[in-house]
């Protein structure tokens, strides 16, 4: 063997070995990036900082308010925002993190510094593009004709984005490009799966080359890169794990039916079914209401309560209609749970220390069905405490939020007495509820947002270790839910 050949082989071996060392040293199962300071990152710019919490006013664009503490990585770009790269480099991996966007904000995550998953405020967009939240950004070639310079971008399968100011969860299963001993690429990078807020938005996507704005040529290992020059964004719970060997080279995701049964909502659509609120808790008289805007909800007819809302596709009816079925339907999108118990939405309280009733016993609750408006949207009706309640849940005028208007009709004379206990509407129950703007409330660890302009201000109270947001129920009460 010639010395030149031996030398070339040795260099290739050392390069491969070094790559394996880098991966082994930096990547362990379930490794969290430290966010008590910026030491995990290479030369961070002044736009990056560590916070304990961030809050976004949904009416103010491109701004996040930081509270003292640790655990949250915050980008406040101003005029001189710079990208942030990890000290560690990675090859194959599973990346999971939470992120929070300011209104109208724009950012991205570059795998190995080269392949961008777009992060942006795409809340409420019906048909997302590759430049929308969760999209794989386009590659770029200035030598191509106008209108064709961008290519091989991939839009998410559906828009599973949450509202700005709320935490979103992203999971990326990534296979790095492969190289032979001479440094020649022998396998493209792949997104084996990408999930946004629990929804599969990419599956087995081949990345034939770096996306626009890539930091370097393709390589076996590279840093994570967080875009910092476009808009305010925050990250937390950044976890990087080893890619299970069974995922390599295009293994399909397991555990899914090849022929699921989906129900779409090209027009306002309703379906009756069981709805599982959480494991072990099932609403047996529920109705799900879908809209062509991709904003849907489920309602519990036994308690007059709003169970959940979601963005994206309407209903996965597979568990209900496949074979014998079990009568249960599932949301086919990014779900936000509004209820953790099956309890009445309306209650009569002697005072603000009175516990919310656990069921409708003694309330005179009686469902009266629903009526449809001119756009085929239901308004639910029931009787309770001697009054008729009309409950209308619809898309708000902006098409992004739910509006809920509860009207009390036909009270008896006793009800009109000033000494009689008041009726209240339960807006939310959670371990965490806080007012951040006038009439604006963050609920359940910034999972959803409630806004009300009612004359009777909602009340936050704590009963048995849980917070409740309740509102005195007048003749007509309206509030809005963003999620």
């Amino acid at each position: 063997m010639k010395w030149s050949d031996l030398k070339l082989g040795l260099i290739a071996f050392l390069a491969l070995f070094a790559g394996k060392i880098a991966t082994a040293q930096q990547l362990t199962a379930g490794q969290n990036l430290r966010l008590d300071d910026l030491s995990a990152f290479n030369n961070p710019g002044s736009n990056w900082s560590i916070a304990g919490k961030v809050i976004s006013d949904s009416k103010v664009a491109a701004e996040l308010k930081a509270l003292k503490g640790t655990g949250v990585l915050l980008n406040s770009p101003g005029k001189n925002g710079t990208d942030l790269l990890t000290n560690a480099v990675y090859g194959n991996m599973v990346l999971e993190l939470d992120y929070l966007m300011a209104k109208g904000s724009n950012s991205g995550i570059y795998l190995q510094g080269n392949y961008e998953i777009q992060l942006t405020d795409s809340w409420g967009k019906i048909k997302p593009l590759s430049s929308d939240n969760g999209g794989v950004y386009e590659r770029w070639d200035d030598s191509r004709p106008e209108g064709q310079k961008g290519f091989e971008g991939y839009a998410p399968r559906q828009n599973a984005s949450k509202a700005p100011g709320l935490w979103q969860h992203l999971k990326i299963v990534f296979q790095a490009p492969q190289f032979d001993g001479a440094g020649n690429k022998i396998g493209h990078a792949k997104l084996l799966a990408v999930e946004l807020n629990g929804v599969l938005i990419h599956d087995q996507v081949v990345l034939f080359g770096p996306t626009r704005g890539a930091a370097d040529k393709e390589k076996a290992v590279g840093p994570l890169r967080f875009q910092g020059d476009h808009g305010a964004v925050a990250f937390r719970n950044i976890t990087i794990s080893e890619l299970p060997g069974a995922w390599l080279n295009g293994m399909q995701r397991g555990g899914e039916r090849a022929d699921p049964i989906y129900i779409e909502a090209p027009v306002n659509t309703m379906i009756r079914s069981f709805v599982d609120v959480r494991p072990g808790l099932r609403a047996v008289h529920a109705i799900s209401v879908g809209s062509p805007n991709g904003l849907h909800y489920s309602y519990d007819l036994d308690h007059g309560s709003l169970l959940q809302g979601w963005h994206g596709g309407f209903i996965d009816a597979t568990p209900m209609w496949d074979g014998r079925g079990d009568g249960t339907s599932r949301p086919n999108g990014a779900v936000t749970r509004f209820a953790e118990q099956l309890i009445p939405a309306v209650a009569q309280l002697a005072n603000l220390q009175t516990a919310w009733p656990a069921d409708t016993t003694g309330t005179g609750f009686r469902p009266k069905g629903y009526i449809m408006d001119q756009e085929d949207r239901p308004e639910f009706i029931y009787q309770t405490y001697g009054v008729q309640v009309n409950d209308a849940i619809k898309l708000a005028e902006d098409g992004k939020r739910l509006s809920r208007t509860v009207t009390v009709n036909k009270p008896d004379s006793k009800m009109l007495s000033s000494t009689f206990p008041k009726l209240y509407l339960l807006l939310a129950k959670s371990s965490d509820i806080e007012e951040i703007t006038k009439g604006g409330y963050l609920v359940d660890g910034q999972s959803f947002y409630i806004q009300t302009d009612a004359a009777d201000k909602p009340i936050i109270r704590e009963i048995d270790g849980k917070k409740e947001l309740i509102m005195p129920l007048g003749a007509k009460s309206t509030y809005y839910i963003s999620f």
Side-chain angles (χ1 to χ4, degrees):
M1 178 181 290
K2 296 181 180 178
W3 165 243
S4 59
D5 292 337
L6 180 61
K7 183 178 179 181
L8 182 61
L10 181 61
I11 291 172
F13 171 76
L14 289 174
L16 180 62
F17 185 63
K20 288 184 176 180
I21 289 178
T23 304
Q25 286 180 338
Q26 308 295 350
L27 184 55
T28 57
Q31 176 188 9
N32 290 331
L33 284 188
R34 286 183 53 191
L35 295 180
D36 51 358
D37 57 31
L38 293 171
S39 61
F41 305 97
N42 180 26
N43 193 25
S46 59
N47 53 302
W48 293 97
S49 62
I50 297 295
K53 186 175 184 178
V54 292
I55 295 175
S56 172
D57 185 339
S58 62
K59 299 179 181 179
V60 179
E63 182 178 302
L64 293 175
K65 178 183 178 181
L67 303 181
K68 290 183 179 180
T70 61
V72 176
L73 175 66
L74 172 62
N75 174 45
S76 305
K79 295 182 179 179
N80 300 304
T82 59
D83 292 354
L84 186 68
L85 281 76
T86 59
N87 293 321
V89 292
Y90 307 100
N92 302 331
M93 66 174 177
V94 179
L95 170 66
E96 292 198 59
L97 54 78
D98 300 326
Y99 68 96
L100 183 150
M101 310 291 299
K103 181 180 179 181
S105 195
N106 184 317
S107 185
I109 297 172
Y110 287 83
L111 306 168
Q112 297 190 315
N114 285 334
Y115 315 100
E116 184 184 6
I117 305 296
Q118 177 79 343
L119 305 181
T120 189
D121 175 16
S122 297
W123 181 44
K125 189 164 186 178
I126 298 175
K127 294 183 178 180
L129 306 173
S130 62
S131 56
D132 282 306
N133 196 38
V136 180
Y137 210 69
E138 292 180 323
R139 300 177 64 195
W140 197 262
D141 185 349
D142 280 321
S143 68
R144 294 166 66 115
E146 288 298 327
Q148 301 177 33
K149 296 181 185 296
F151 61 103
E152 291 180 4
Y154 300 94
R157 291 180 168 188
Q158 56 176 276
N159 188 3
S161 303
K162 299 192 71 153
L166 302 178
W167 285 107
Q168 309 193 56
H169 187 74
L170 183 67
K171 179 178 180 179
I172 302 171
V173 184
F174 175 71
Q175 181 174 314
Q178 301 168 40
F179 298 84
D180 63 18
N184 300 307
K185 189 169 80 166
I186 57 174
H188 297 299
K190 296 178 182 177
L191 293 172
L192 302 177
V194 179
E195 292 182 358
L196 176 59
N197 298 321
V199 176
L200 182 69
I201 58 171
H202 297 292
D203 187 18
Q204 303 296 326
V205 173
V206 178
L207 304 172
F208 295 98
T211 60
R212 190 178 188 184
D216 202 352
K217 64 181 181 180
E218 293 183 288
K219 50 202 170 185
V221 294
L224 281 178
R225 174 180 158 210
F226 299 87
Q227 192 174 56
D229 60 347
H230 278 44
V233 62
F235 301 92
R236 69 179 185 185
N237 299 329
I238 304 172
T239 303
I240 302 162
S241 306
E242 294 179 2
L243 177 66
W247 275 95
L248 290 173
N249 298 314
M251 174 187 168
Q252 296 293 323
R253 301 171 77 250
E256 292 190 344
R257 283 178 48 86
D259 55 346
I261 305 170
Y262 294 140
I263 300 173
E264 301 301 332
V267 297
N268 292 322
T269 305
M270 298 192 303
I271 183 169
R272 295 280 296 267
S273 71
F274 297 160
V275 169
D276 287 333
V277 178
R278 55 176 171 79
L281 185 62
R282 174 171 291 178
V284 296
H285 295 105
I287 189 165
S288 294
V289 181
S291 78
N293 290 56
L295 181 59
H296 322 293
Y297 69 89
S298 296
Y299 188 86
D300 179 12
L301 296 166
D302 282 339
H303 298 87
S305 59
L306 185 59
L307 297 175
Q308 60 190 6
W310 67 96
H311 299 278
F314 181 36
I315 286 291
D316 179 358
T318 309
M320 181 167 57
W321 288 340
D322 181 41
R324 293 177 62 87
D326 66 359
T328 306
S329 68
R330 294 187 298 232
N332 185 27
V335 184
T336 300
R337 309 287 183 190
F338 302 135
E340 57 182 27
Q341 297 172 285
L342 299 179
I343 55 178
V346 171
Q348 197 173 67
L349 304 180
N351 55 60
L352 292 180
Q353 286 70 49
T354 304
W356 200 268
D359 53 45
T360 58
T361 302
T363 67
F365 185 92
R366 185 179 178 186
K368 303 293 286 185
Y370 51 85
I371 57 175
M372 306 296 286
D373 68 7
Q374 293 181 342
E375 298 180 40
D376 288 331
R377 299 175 300 185
E379 181 173 319
F380 304 101
I381 305 171
Y382 57 88
Q383 293 177 344
T384 188
Y385 298 105
V387 301
Q388 177 179 300
V389 176
N390 286 44
D391 193 351
I393 302 167
K394 302 178 181 181
L395 264 68
E397 290 184 0
D398 60 14
K400 299 179 179 182
R401 304 175 295 166
L402 290 177
S403 71
R404 186 181 192 185
T405 301
V406 180
T407 307
V408 178
N409 296 314
K410 304 176 182 177
D412 59 23
S413 58
K414 185 179 179 183
M415 250 329 182
L416 296 175
S417 169
S418 60
T419 61
F420 204 72
K422 285 186 177 181
L423 284 176
Y424 289 87
L425 176 65
L426 179 65
L427 277 61
K429 181 173 183 175
S430 174
S431 57
D432 180 26
I433 301 174
E434 59 179 321
E435 184 175 15
I436 61 167
T437 60
K438 184 179 180 180
Y441 302 85
L442 280 174
V443 183
D444 194 23
Q446 292 172 267
S447 175
F448 62 98
Y449 181 83
I450 286 176
Q451 177 70 45
T452 176
D453 301 319
D456 290 326
K457 182 180 177 180
I459 300 160
I460 300 175
R461 66 176 195 160
E462 187 166 342
I463 302 289
D464 296 331
K466 287 285 187 179
K467 291 185 178 180
E468 295 175 350
L469 182 64
I470 63 175
M471 183 166 65
L473 193 55
K476 189 174 183 179
S477 302
T478 299
Y479 70 98
Y480 301 88
I481 311 171
S482 301
F483 54 95

